[in-house]
Amino acid sequence: MNFKELGLLNELLKAIEEKGYDSPTPIQQLAIPLVLEGTDLMAGAQTGTGKTAGFTLPLLQKLMLNCKHQHKVRALILTPTRELAAQVGENVKTYGKYLPLKSTVIFGGVNINPQINALRKGVEIVIATPGRLLDLTSQQALDLTSVEMLVLDEADRMLDMGFIHDIRKILAILPKNRQNLLFSATFSPEIKNLAASFLKSPKTIEAARHNTPAELVVQRIYPVDNQRKKELLSFLISSNNWKQVLVFARTKHGSNRLAQYLTKEKIPAAAIHGNKSQSARTKALEDFKQGAIRVLVATDIAARGLDINQLPHVINFELPNVPEDYVHRIGRTGRAGNAGEAISLVCIDEHKLLQDIERLLKKKIPSTIIAGYEPDPSIEAQPIPNGQNRRGHQTSFPKRHQHFHGKKPGTSK
Ligand code: AMP
């Protein structure tokens, strides 16, 4: 099947051709006709499946078929993170470049005034994170009374991050008569509950995972004492001359310390997490993609929604508290056809977490001790530092240090 057979407008086909896509991905083949028909959708698709074009292309087409040139907000796309909002915003601009529709991206952590100005000029499409969106509606800077289409992107992440109240508030102020699209990597009972509360006779579609860990990702465990993890990481990166490494750490402070340590060891690294300004995160990501820094140290939440898949190396400096997060993390590696490598540095304190992960994967991950980094048999397991709930969100910092996703509903981020 090709894009033309999906009945897309010439302006969209031209933009798609310029992007270099030959044929629609499975989720696009399923989603595009249904969205064009006006059906509500519950779509199971994670990053990497082409889901963004799956909702953006038909959304643009629907707005065009009924275009009043009034630049009122007619489509609202909600995303869990600033980065994802920015990426979806880019996609909307790219696919819509030959259409007269205007769009803007709205997220917290940056000055609100340029966003107010952009809205004042008039846009058809708003791509937003929930908190800042509510700030703008409460300031009467954003009128949502003309919204015809709502997309909830990465809905499971939004619930994980505690956005449920914000989402409910937003749903309550939207016009009742609208088309709803919900995209989520997983269909937990919470997601099904949310879906049941606002989708109207939805069709359910699902895209197979892009790269299942078993096929494309080689997983390894390197047992090592906790205090020697940094050294081992530096040794692995240097001795193998790895160029693009995504390292997952458990806390923001830990990520900072690790990035500083690696940089001192002459391995250019940057940390990316919620305490960093938006410009610092964008720069770190750009530097990483361009090769100016070799290592990006990220927390799970900061890494979500980042368009940095298909990396050669993903390293778990610490194992995640939630086994499913391990699968998400290692899904970042595995390049088209080539096997990627997912390495976990595991100290004695993490054996229980490792067991949980292996139970979820239904297999043991091969474990090798690196000469010179043998764990000291006299060290006993310590409980994993608390201050984290089951999802790995930090809960022990004072308010002003809380992660930007942990904000209270309706307040500025
Ligand atoms: P997404 O799942 O929306 O984050 O998209 C993942 C990646 O796939 C992005 O880099 C897109 O540019 C790319 N992509 C989307 N649709 C197609 C397609 N039909 N053919 C090739 N690549 C695509």
Side-chain angles (χ1 to χ4, degrees):
M1 181 182 279
N2 59 36
F3 281 104
K4 204 164 179 186
E5 289 169 277
L6 289 173
L8 291 173
L9 292 170
N10 284 336
E11 288 88 342
L12 292 169
L13 293 174
K14 193 168 164 200
I16 293 167
E17 197 186 326
E18 282 176 19
K19 260 306 247 178
Y21 302 162
D22 294 332
S23 53
T25 66
I27 197 74
Q28 290 164 2
Q29 291 183 28
L30 293 168
I32 291 172
L34 290 170
V35 181
L36 289 177
E37 267 173 30
T39 312
D40 274 14
L41 217 58
M42 170 131 170
Q46 60 181 60
T47 309
T49 53
K51 67 181 168 70
T52 317
F55 62 76
T56 305
L57 292 167
L59 179 144
L60 290 165
Q61 176 141 340
K62 290 207 74 190
L63 296 182
M64 269 325 287
L65 294 181
N66 196 8
C67 186
K68 301 179 193 97
H69 297 283
Q70 288 175 331
H71 300 313
K72 283 191 170 172
V73 181
R74 295 171 55 207
L76 174 63
I77 304 173
L78 291 177
T79 73
T81 64
R82 311 163 186 190
E83 282 82 4
L84 188 60
Q87 278 162 27
V88 173
E90 282 300 312
N91 276 272
V92 169
K93 286 222 154 52
T94 306
Y95 301 131
K97 68 198 272 198
Y98 297 111
L99 300 174
L101 301 168
K102 299 215 284 175
S103 63
T104 196
V105 178
I106 279 172
F107 48 69
V110 294
N111 189 341
I112 201 165
N113 293 328
Q115 299 178 350
I116 294 177
N117 289 338
L119 290 169
R120 210 172 273 151
K121 285 187 196 139
V123 293
E124 274 85 5
I125 305 154
V126 167
I127 305 105
T129 53
R132 179 57 69 87
L133 183 90
L134 285 170
D135 285 349
L136 286 160
T137 53
S138 65
Q139 294 184 28
Q140 263 89 47
L142 173 59
D143 174 13
L144 295 175
T145 54
S146 301
V147 169
E148 300 158 29
M149 296 181 81
L150 169 72
V151 182
L152 241 57
D153 194 12
E154 304 206 353
D156 49 349
R157 299 290 190 215
M158 287 206 247
L159 296 197
D160 279 356
M161 293 178 193
F163 280 140
I164 186 69
H165 300 296
D166 285 1
I167 293 172
R168 295 236 180 261
K169 278 190 195 168
I170 294 166
L171 289 173
I173 52 178
L174 293 177
K176 296 247 159 342
N177 198 3
R178 54 168 207 266
Q179 185 178 9
N180 302 290
L181 315 175
L182 179 147
F183 281 76
S184 186
T186 54
F187 288 149
S188 63
E190 290 85 2
I191 288 288
K192 287 188 180 150
N193 246 335
L194 172 69
S197 74
F198 79 101
L199 298 179
K200 278 172 257 139
S201 321
K203 292 250 164 69
T204 302
I205 57 173
E206 240 173 299
R209 281 186 104 86
H210 221 45
N211 45 10
T212 53
E215 283 167 32
L216 286 172
V217 181
V218 178
Q219 303 172 64
R220 288 183 226 285
I221 301 288
Y222 292 142
V224 60
D225 288 335
N226 199 14
Q227 71 274 19
R228 298 203 64 203
K229 280 187 175 186
K230 281 184 181 158
E231 270 175 70
L232 176 57
L233 178 64
S234 165
F235 168 76
L236 288 170
I237 296 170
S238 306
S239 59
N240 293 297
N241 200 17
W242 289 336
K243 298 277 188 254
Q244 245 192 346
V245 190
L246 178 63
V247 176
F248 283 96
R250 201 176 284 139
T251 66
K252 295 175 228 177
H253 299 294
S255 325
N256 278 343
R257 280 198 301 269
L258 190 53
Q260 280 160 9
Y261 172 85
L262 291 170
T263 305
K264 242 194 262 158
E265 295 285 298
K266 309 231 173 342
I267 301 170
I272 187 162
H273 54 66
N275 283 2
K276 295 260 172 183
S277 71
Q278 183 57 32
S279 57
R281 285 147 158 256
T282 309
K283 175 158 191 326
L285 186 60
E286 266 317 295
D287 286 351
F288 184 64
K289 285 183 173 173
Q290 311 272 322
I293 57 172
R294 282 165 73 183
V295 181
L296 202 58
V297 188
T299 55
D300 282 294
I301 295 176
R304 280 172 192 167
L306 285 185
D307 189 15
I308 42 169
N309 296 307
Q310 311 193 342
L311 289 165
H313 307 285
V314 167
I315 300 189
N316 295 307
F317 187 73
E318 284 139 344
L319 287 179
N321 287 7
V322 185
E324 286 81 3
D325 283 347
Y326 176 87
V327 178
H328 285 297
R329 287 179 179 190
I330 71 169
R332 298 291 188 163
T333 182
R335 291 180 292 178
N338 298 317
E341 204 174 20
I343 286 171
S344 303
L345 309 186
V346 179
C347 70
I348 190 160
D349 311 342
E350 296 169 302
H351 283 186
K352 168 82 179 60
L353 297 178
L354 179 59
Q355 271 174 13
D356 292 347
I357 289 166
E358 290 181 330
R359 197 170 302 132
L360 177 75
L361 298 174
K362 299 196 178 66
K363 68 170 197 171
K364 268 198 103 53
I365 307 171
S367 170
T368 318
I369 292 175
I370 307 253
Y373 293 90
E374 298 83 357
D376 178 347
S378 69
I379 294 179
E380 288 181 13
Q382 301 290 319
I384 301 283
N386 55 17
Q388 314 220 338
N389 62 23
R390 214 186 83 81
R391 273 273 155 207
H393 296 197
Q394 290 167 0
T395 54
S396 61
F397 289 128
K399 273 259 159 353
R400 69 192 171 82
H401 276 149
Q402 272 187 357
H403 194 279
F404 68 95
H405 295 117
K407 53 176 271 307
K408 281 188 287 179
T411 55
S412 193
K413 285 184 236 174

